[in-house]
Amino acid sequence: MPTRNDSMDVKRDGRTVMEGQEIARALTRVAHEIIEKNHGVKDLALVGIRTGGVYLARRLASKLKEIERIDLPVGELDITLYRDDLNSRKEHPMLRTTEIPFDITDLRIILVDDVLFTGRTTRAAMDGLIDLGRPSEIQLAVLVDRGHRQLPIKAMYVGKNLPTSLTESVEVHLEETGEPDRVVIFPP
Amino acid sequence: MNLKRKDLLGIQDLSVEEINLILQTADSFKEVSGREIKKVPTLRGKTVVNLFFEPSTRTRTSFELAAKRLSADVINFTTSTSSVVKGETLLDTASNIQAMRADFIVLRHPAAGAPNILARALQASVINAGDGGHEHPTQALLDLFTLREKKREFRGLRIAIVGDISHSRVARSTIYALNKLGAQIRVAGPPTMIPRDIERLGVSVFYTLDDALQGVDVIMMLRLQLERQGIALFPSIREYATCYGLTPERLHLADRDVIVMHPGPINRGVEISPEVADSPSSVILDQVTNGVVVRMAVLYLLSGAK
């Protein structure tokens, strides 16, 4: 019998727009672009934005290693303390730890996130990074760019451009969290 | 995740989940405190008022640093310089502070329960920084954070708390907290300093320090409140030091990996010998470092409770 709770299940009727192989290929291409743009991997480091970005940063690091035979440092950045919506949210998000066990000063940092949307997360991440040191450059890599920027921010490396409406939501599932790799769009 | 409360008044009414949330949140702030730039913008525009009716350097400074590292603005009121000397009541003082749009009031007061009164009357978050002989929750939390850092697990940990248990709000808060987390607590001190019904809190009582220290993982020394000497709880400071002072010889009675804690300020040569205070077993300065970190976590979590 249909009940009100079914609306929960409707949300599950997402449209899958990217899956395993496709995600892997996109990341391979991004890895090559990173090398091309930076003329190699000298002085590069990856910093993933928790949590999805961290897994993607690790994947990119292993792809870069396959190609260039060099282990790049990978850091994990929690941006909660830098959010601009802490006062307007009902609850604080769970605080996690930033772990960047290397000095970022004078490095070229590839900031990695799963979805680029309003740009506010990226803004917070840049503030967080700059509190840790003075990188010579920050470049942004994302798996999905879904548009609707509210700040003047642009990704240098994009796995896939994904036109969405403002009310849709985009989820990135990654194997590291126990689900098969896929990007799904959910209707409002 | 948030604390489901506006105020932090004591450990007694905190759940194990809330305690763990505070400790876990403090982990993140430990990382921030290890940076070259030890400041995050999280509480920008918020105001923290330290309202201290008793002398304190460590706790007040620690709260002040915690607030500043979160980018909050801090004002310090101490009784000697405030209108309290002109006869203003606690509630009036606090209402005036609230009228200046303070978001947090950190209160230290000689009367047990004073923070509870403020918490009921004010919209601002009230944090108890020590109320009479009642509680000192952030001290207990920093003790827990330090213990967790050094010993990983609370369950089954053997802990001796030594000194004036009767007059120690630190001891009370810490006993409440460690009990909730499953540690085995022993208290030791002269009979005049051990409350008669303390066993009801789930601790075992020792009147001889050597017995209390056998095999313990943690020794928590309390400060001998020399200013209370007039109450004649013990014949002389020298006798107290002989019977209840922690010396290197006594340290050997405890577990090989024992750690020594003290809420400060320490009376060298009275409750703790300089050799012990400065030994590798001592985590007294770690406690001070962690105090800032834990207070950042408390400010952060309370600011999210709407």
Side-chain angles (χ1 to χ4, degrees), chain B:
Chain B
M1 275 288 275
N2 283 122
L3 292 176
K4 302 274 181 263
R5 55 182 73 241
K6 172 172 85 69
D7 315 286
L8 179 66
L9 303 174
I11 296 292
Q12 199 175 15
D13 56 344
L14 280 188
S15 68
V16 172
E17 290 71 31
E18 285 174 302
I19 291 173
N20 283 327
L21 174 63
I22 295 170
L23 298 181
Q24 215 178 320
T25 305
D27 284 333
S28 304
F29 289 114
K30 181 99 187 191
E31 182 269 322
V32 171
S33 290
R35 296 179 186 173
E36 201 161 323
I37 300 175
K38 302 171 189 59
K39 193 168 178 132
V40 289
T42 317
L43 294 188
R44 214 170 30 187
K46 305 271 185 200
T47 305
V48 177
V49 174
N50 284 326
L51 186 52
F52 278 63
F53 290 85
E54 274 182 355
S56 156
T57 311
R58 195 176 335 262
T59 305
R60 193 188 50 70
T61 313
S62 182
F63 267 109
E64 186 169 347
L65 263 182
K68 285 183 168 167
R69 286 189 181 163
L70 290 165
S71 299
D73 298 305
V74 189
I75 290 170
N76 292 307
F77 278 73
T78 42
T79 35
S80 54
T81 58
S82 77
S83 299
V84 174
V85 292
K86 299 179 187 166
E88 192 175 46
T89 68
L90 169 65
L91 211 49
D92 282 334
T93 304
S95 302
N96 276 278
I97 290 169
Q98 173 159 283
M100 297 176 204
R101 298 282 175 271
D103 301 285
F104 295 92
I105 294 180
V106 179
L107 179 69
R108 166 161 298 182
H109 199 278
N116 302 62
I117 294 173
L118 285 201
R120 273 197 299 275
L122 303 180
Q123 275 149 16
S125 285
V126 177
I127 301 174
N128 181 2
D131 60 333
H134 180 217
E135 282 229 40
H136 190 353
T138 56
Q139 176 70 42
L141 289 166
L142 76 87
D143 288 344
L144 293 181
F145 188 80
T146 308
L147 275 175
R148 173 167 160 275
E149 212 172 51
K150 306 289 173 193
K151 297 286 180 191
R152 303 267 155 237
E153 271 283 333
F154 294 111
R155 195 151 293 284
L157 213 54
R158 288 156 298 178
I159 299 173
I161 305 177
V162 183
D164 187 355
I165 310 292
S166 296
H167 298 96
S168 173
R169 54 196 174 209
V170 174
R172 282 175 80 101
S173 286
T174 303
I175 288 170
Y176 288 139
L178 288 170
N179 251 339
K180 286 177 202 265
L181 295 164
Q184 295 172 21
I185 309 167
R186 306 170 182 182
V187 297
T192 47
M193 292 181 167
I194 309 270
R196 215 183 311 162
D197 51 355
I198 184 94
E199 286 96 341
R200 285 219 308 253
L201 289 182
V203 304
S204 37
V205 176
F206 293 79
Y207 297 113
T208 313
L209 185 54
D210 289 7
D211 295 343
L213 297 184
Q214 296 292 338
V216 293
D217 305 295
V218 180
I219 305 171
M220 218 174 261
M221 299 304 296
L222 299 175
R223 187 174 75 90
L224 184 67
Q225 298 175 313
L226 298 174
E227 61 271 22
R228 287 187 197 281
Q229 244 254 289
I231 313 174
L233 296 171
F234 51 90
S236 71
I237 292 175
R238 182 192 275 194
E239 185 172 330
Y240 183 87
T242 310
C243 295
Y244 295 102
L246 188 60
T247 57
E249 298 74 47
R250 285 191 166 130
L251 202 55
H252 286 306
L253 301 171
D255 184 77
R256 202 160 47 92
D257 297 321
V258 69
I259 58 170
V260 177
M261 304 174 84
H262 191 299
I266 61 177
N267 297 310
R268 283 180 182 261
V270 182
E271 72 267 6
I272 188 165
S273 76
E275 294 89 334
V276 175
D278 302 329
S279 74
S281 306
S282 161
V283 298
I284 297 172
L285 292 177
D286 297 83
Q287 289 175 273
V288 178
T289 306
N290 291 338
V292 178
V293 163
V294 162
R295 290 175 177 118
M296 286 172 86
V298 168
L299 287 168
Y300 170 76
L301 289 169
L302 289 180
S303 77
K306 290 273 153 62

Side-chain angles (χ1 to χ4, degrees), chain A residues 40-56:
Chain A
V41 291
K42 190 171 179 298
D43 295 332
L44 278 191
L46 296 137
V47 171
I49 299 176
R50 286 197 184 267
T51 44
V54 171
Y55 304 128
L56 294 171

Side-chain angles (χ1 to χ4, degrees), chain A residues 36 38-39 45 49 59 70-71 89 92 100 133 155-156 166 173 178-179 186:
Chain A
E36 192 185 357
N38 295 284
H39 310 292
I49 299 176
R59 289 194 197 184
I70 292 179
D71 272 312
R89 293 170 66 102
H92 281 357
I100 302 185
M156 202 174 259
L166 197 52
H173 300 275
E179 287 179 273
F186 293 100

